[in-house]
Amino acid sequence: MSEPQGSEGTTRRLPVIERAAEPDRRDPAAYGPPPVPDAGTGGGERRFWSARRVPAALVALLLLLGAGIFLYDIVAVRAHRPAMHWRRELSRQLAARPLDDTWVLIGAGVAAALGLWLIVLAATPGLRRVLPMRRTHPDVRAGLHRDAAAMVLRDRAMEVAGVQSARVRVKRTKADVRAVSHFRELDDVRDDLDVTLTEAIRGLGLARPPALSVHVTRTTRKKG
């Protein structure tokens, strides 16, 4: 079939829109995880703040009840009715008891402890079990639970030859690994664990990678 000719009698090629080649579905690397950022990038991510709905709801409820009771008592006094018995008794006790009385000191200590607890809740982020991850996108924040990180490190530790069992505890600044070896030299197993787990921690993509601490012991065989 001949190509269409224009009004000037010349042959013109139609414009072609090129699309980016789709990834090969048979290639697993095309759908693999995104590349891990370098260790030098990130590191300035802050911890996630807890909503603390339960303490906030309790404080709001107590304040609401206290304000309602005092408001009712004030309105009753303004209406020339006697004040509540508990308020009259509290006023009498506070006027009669000295400041160094045991119950006065206990009440002051409880009030100070509650106030300090509220200040700590307001000034600290909470969510200590969620580790912030590096940002690969400016509008997306991600976090990794410490139990999930410990599970990943444990699975990687079990891949090392000579490791029979492993226990991993991940904290905010430290990953404590305790492995039991049933063959190979302990130093060789420890060196392989250091290399493997260091790479695994880097692969987690955490903003502040925890320091690695590895302890390897020999398994104790029970004699029959």
Side-chain angles (χ1 to χ4, degrees):
M1 181 181 290
S2 60
E3 298 181 354
Q5 296 182 353
S7 60
E8 299 179 358
T10 59
T11 301
R12 296 182 180 180
R13 184 179 298 274
L14 296 178
V16 178
I17 300 177
E18 296 182 355
R19 295 186 303 173
E22 296 183 357
D24 188 1
R25 297 180 182 272
R26 296 171 298 177
D27 184 10
Y31 295 93
V36 180
D38 297 334
T41 61
E45 297 297 330
R46 297 182 179 179
R47 290 169 52 192
F48 291 87
W49 280 77
S50 174
R52 294 192 174 96
R53 295 181 177 86
V54 175
L58 291 177
V59 172
L61 181 61
L62 291 177
L63 290 177
L64 180 62
L65 292 176
I69 292 174
F70 277 107
L71 181 61
Y72 174 82
D73 192 50
I74 292 175
V75 171
V77 172
R78 293 293 183 180
H80 304 289
R81 299 183 61 183
M84 292 184 177
H85 175 72
W86 67 268
R87 192 164 73 90
R88 288 181 294 171
E89 182 65 21
L90 179 62
S91 300
R92 188 183 65 82
Q93 291 289 341
L94 292 178
R97 291 180 179 272
L99 295 178
D100 57 351
D101 185 76
T102 303
W103 288 107
V104 174
L105 295 178
I106 291 176
V110 171
L114 290 177
L116 182 62
W117 178 61
L118 294 177
I119 292 175
V120 170
L121 290 181
T124 55
L127 291 180
R128 299 177 60 87
R129 305 192 67 82
V130 179
L131 303 174
M133 302 177 68
R134 297 192 194 100
R135 284 197 181 188
T136 57
H137 193 278
D139 297 331
V140 178
R141 289 194 66 194
L144 181 64
H145 201 278
R146 288 194 294 181
D147 292 342
M151 185 180 301
V152 172
L153 296 183
R154 180 186 177 277
D155 292 342
R156 292 297 302 273
M158 294 299 296
E159 297 175 359
V160 176
V163 176
Q164 183 181 19
S165 63
R167 275 190 311 116
V168 180
R169 292 186 59 188
V170 177
K171 302 177 181 179
R172 285 198 304 151
T173 59
K174 184 179 179 181
D176 188 10
V177 181
R178 298 184 179 274
V180 177
S181 175
H182 58 297
F183 71 94
R184 296 183 66 196
E185 295 293 333
L186 296 183
D187 293 337
D188 296 340
V189 176
R190 186 181 299 106
D191 293 340
D192 290 347
L193 283 174
D194 285 335
V195 174
T196 302
L197 296 181
T198 299
E199 180 183 358
I201 290 176
R202 182 177 178 272
L204 293 177
L206 299 177
R208 299 180 181 88
L212 180 62
S213 175
V214 178
H215 305 274
V216 182
T217 58
R218 182 69 68 188
T219 180
T220 56
R221 298 180 179 178
K222 295 182 179 180
K223 296 182 180 181

